[in-house]
Amino acid sequence: MSSASVTAELFRRVMGHFATGITVVTVEREPGKVHGMTANSLASVSLQPLLVSICVDEESRLLSFLKTQRRFGVSILNDTQQALSEHFATGEQGPDADARLGIRYRWTESRIPLLEDALAHLACNVVAEYSAGDHTIFLGEVESVDLGEGQPLLFYRGQYRTLQS
Ligand SMILES: Cc1cc2nc3c(=O)[nH]c(=O)nc-3n(C[C@H](O)[C@H](O)[C@H](O)COP(=O)(O)O)c2cc1C
């Protein structure tokens, strides 16, 4: 199949067959306030130094916060946290939504925000960014990590899944 016949819709459908976990990328948007964005583009890039990449839509609100702050948290969601994934993919953010959904943040010593109760966390400093089509790829050097308990929330063929479903 030549690339000329690959429509965006077909490309999305094909890439949907690549099962992923789900993360929420968090950035301090103003002192003490957090903006989060659901993202499944997280990839492990390098062990020496420790690098990850995320791809951020040019249209997203997160982009300008990330370009300014140049550091971000990644919370890998567990299988009880689908509502958080939906919220950070679509919802209006703020104290009301945080209270309704029971969203709590924790901060690293270097003031990188993370979601409490996630399956795992990474705190990263941006070391490079590359414009790539309608997204920007950010390379983040990993400053700290931690592991929680539970099973991952998965995304496959446009649907949330768990290891059992
Ligand atoms: C499962 C899933 C994965 C997503 N992954 C990404 C991603 O990797 N990068 C991205 O820019 N948007 C991704 N999105 C879309 C954003 O979460 C969505 O456009 C969000 O509203 C943009 O955030 P913001 O404008 O509030 O910053 C994903 C959405 C879902 C549901």
Side-chain angles (χ1 to χ4, degrees):
M1 190 181 295
S2 76
S3 67
S5 61
V6 180
T7 60
E9 197 271 325
L10 176 59
F11 175 71
R12 281 174 73 112
R13 198 140 57 85
V14 168
M15 291 309 296
H17 286 67
F18 184 58
T20 67
I22 304 261
T23 75
V24 175
V25 175
T26 40
V27 175
E28 185 172 32
R29 68 179 153 83
E30 55 185 85
K33 297 201 171 144
V34 179
H35 185 81
M37 187 192 84
T38 300
N40 66 348
S41 56
L42 176 73
S44 171
V45 172
S46 161
L47 284 176
Q48 253 184 345
L50 298 175
L51 295 173
V52 295
S53 65
I54 53 167
C55 300
V56 179
D57 195 324
E58 297 291 332
E59 306 262 295
S60 69
R61 293 173 292 177
L62 184 84
L63 185 67
S64 63
F65 302 133
L66 195 45
K67 279 180 181 269
T68 307
Q69 293 290 339
R70 307 204 62 77
R71 51 211 196 140
F72 60 95
V74 179
S75 299
I76 299 174
L77 298 187
N78 69 43
D79 62 2
T80 70
Q81 295 179 313
Q82 181 177 329
L84 299 193
S85 175
E86 290 166 351
H87 171 65
F88 286 108
T90 53
E92 270 314 306
Q93 299 183 26
D96 292 350
D98 289 354
R100 185 166 29 87
L101 290 165
I103 296 168
R104 289 177 302 125
Y105 299 100
R106 79 155 85 137
W107 297 80
T108 65
E109 278 176 18
S110 59
R111 302 287 304 158
I112 294 175
L114 297 162
L115 290 184
E116 281 287 9
D117 305 324
L119 187 56
H121 295 114
L122 303 117
C124 305
N125 293 292
V126 172
V127 291
E129 64 180 85
Y130 308 95
S131 181
D134 54 14
H135 281 58
T136 299
I137 304 167
F138 287 90
L139 269 190
E141 182 156 8
V142 178
E143 171 186 294
S144 61
V145 298
D146 69 81
L147 276 176
E149 296 287 327
Q151 300 285 315
L153 180 62
L154 304 177
F155 200 67
Y156 175 62
R157 296 180 70 180
Q159 308 244 313
Y160 291 100
R161 313 273 182 148
T162 63
L163 283 178
Q164 286 73 40
S165 65

PDB file of all heavy atoms in Angstrom, residues 4 12 18 26 62 95 124 133:
ATOM      1  N   ALA A   4       0.375   7.369  -0.392  1.00  0.00           N
ATOM      2  CA  ALA A   4      -0.644   8.266  -0.946  1.00  0.00           C
ATOM      3  C   ALA A   4      -2.046   7.764  -0.624  1.00  0.00           C
ATOM      4  O   ALA A   4      -2.982   8.553  -0.513  1.00  0.00           O
ATOM      5  CB  ALA A   4      -0.459   8.389  -2.444  1.00  0.00           C
ATOM      6  N   ARG A  12      -4.973   6.473  11.776  1.00  0.00           N
ATOM      7  CA  ARG A  12      -5.427   6.410  13.180  1.00  0.00           C
ATOM      8  C   ARG A  12      -5.894   5.008  13.527  1.00  0.00           C
ATOM      9  O   ARG A  12      -5.614   4.501  14.618  1.00  0.00           O
ATOM     10  CB  ARG A  12      -6.598   7.380  13.401  1.00  0.00           C
ATOM     11  CG  ARG A  12      -6.170   8.812  13.551  1.00  0.00           C
ATOM     12  CD  ARG A  12      -7.392   9.701  13.618  1.00  0.00           C
ATOM     13  NE  ARG A  12      -8.065   9.555  14.885  1.00  0.00           N
ATOM     14  CZ  ARG A  12      -8.123  10.507  15.811  1.00  0.00           C
ATOM     15  NH1 ARG A  12      -7.558  11.667  15.578  1.00  0.00           N
ATOM     16  NH2 ARG A  12      -8.738  10.316  16.931  1.00  0.00           N
ATOM     17  N   PHE A  18      -1.945  -0.485  18.080  1.00  0.00           N
ATOM     18  CA  PHE A  18      -0.759  -0.488  18.953  1.00  0.00           C
ATOM     19  C   PHE A  18      -1.256  -0.177  20.359  1.00  0.00           C
ATOM     20  O   PHE A  18      -1.587   0.981  20.674  1.00  0.00           O
ATOM     21  CB  PHE A  18       0.231   0.570  18.448  1.00  0.00           C
ATOM     22  CG  PHE A  18       1.527   0.604  19.207  1.00  0.00           C
ATOM     23  CD1 PHE A  18       2.337  -0.514  19.298  1.00  0.00           C
ATOM     24  CD2 PHE A  18       1.945   1.767  19.822  1.00  0.00           C
ATOM     25  CE1 PHE A  18       3.540  -0.484  19.989  1.00  0.00           C
ATOM     26  CE2 PHE A  18       3.147   1.818  20.517  1.00  0.00           C
ATOM     27  CZ  PHE A  18       3.942   0.687  20.604  1.00  0.00           C
ATOM     28  N   THR A  26       1.474  16.460  33.476  1.00  0.00           N
ATOM     29  CA  THR A  26       1.097  17.618  34.299  1.00  0.00           C
ATOM     30  C   THR A  26       2.201  18.671  34.305  1.00  0.00           C
ATOM     31  O   THR A  26       3.388  18.348  34.353  1.00  0.00           O
ATOM     32  CB  THR A  26       0.809  17.168  35.745  1.00  0.00           C
ATOM     33  OG1 THR A  26       1.762  16.177  36.134  1.00  0.00           O
ATOM     34  CG2 THR A  26      -0.585  16.630  35.896  1.00  0.00           C
ATOM     35  N   LEU A  62      -1.802  22.558  26.835  1.00  0.00           N
ATOM     36  CA  LEU A  62      -0.580  22.151  27.551  1.00  0.00           C
ATOM     37  C   LEU A  62       0.681  22.714  26.896  1.00  0.00           C
ATOM     38  O   LEU A  62       1.659  23.032  27.578  1.00  0.00           O
ATOM     39  CB  LEU A  62      -0.482  20.618  27.585  1.00  0.00           C
ATOM     40  CG  LEU A  62       0.699  20.087  28.401  1.00  0.00           C
ATOM     41  CD1 LEU A  62       0.319  20.020  29.877  1.00  0.00           C
ATOM     42  CD2 LEU A  62       1.144  18.713  27.922  1.00  0.00           C
ATOM     43  N   PRO A  95     -10.532  23.800  40.544  1.00  0.00           N
ATOM     44  CA  PRO A  95     -10.802  23.224  41.867  1.00  0.00           C
ATOM     45  C   PRO A  95     -12.120  22.458  41.947  1.00  0.00           C
ATOM     46  O   PRO A  95     -12.206  21.447  42.640  1.00  0.00           O
ATOM     47  CB  PRO A  95     -10.829  24.437  42.805  1.00  0.00           C
ATOM     48  CG  PRO A  95     -10.441  25.620  42.002  1.00  0.00           C
ATOM     49  CD  PRO A  95     -10.319  25.237  40.565  1.00  0.00           C
ATOM     50  N   CYS A 124      10.223  15.058  35.018  1.00  0.00           N
ATOM     51  CA  CYS A 124      11.157  15.256  33.897  1.00  0.00           C
ATOM     52  C   CYS A 124      11.451  16.730  33.655  1.00  0.00           C
ATOM     53  O   CYS A 124      10.585  17.587  33.855  1.00  0.00           O
ATOM     54  CB  CYS A 124      10.546  14.710  32.605  1.00  0.00           C
ATOM     55  SG  CYS A 124      10.031  12.998  32.708  1.00  0.00           S
ATOM     56  N   GLY A 133       5.268  17.953  12.358  1.00  0.00           N
ATOM     57  CA  GLY A 133       3.911  18.020  11.830  1.00  0.00           C
ATOM     58  C   GLY A 133       3.030  18.840  12.751  1.00  0.00           C
ATOM     59  O   GLY A 133       3.399  19.942  13.159  1.00  0.00           O
TER      60      GLY A 133
END
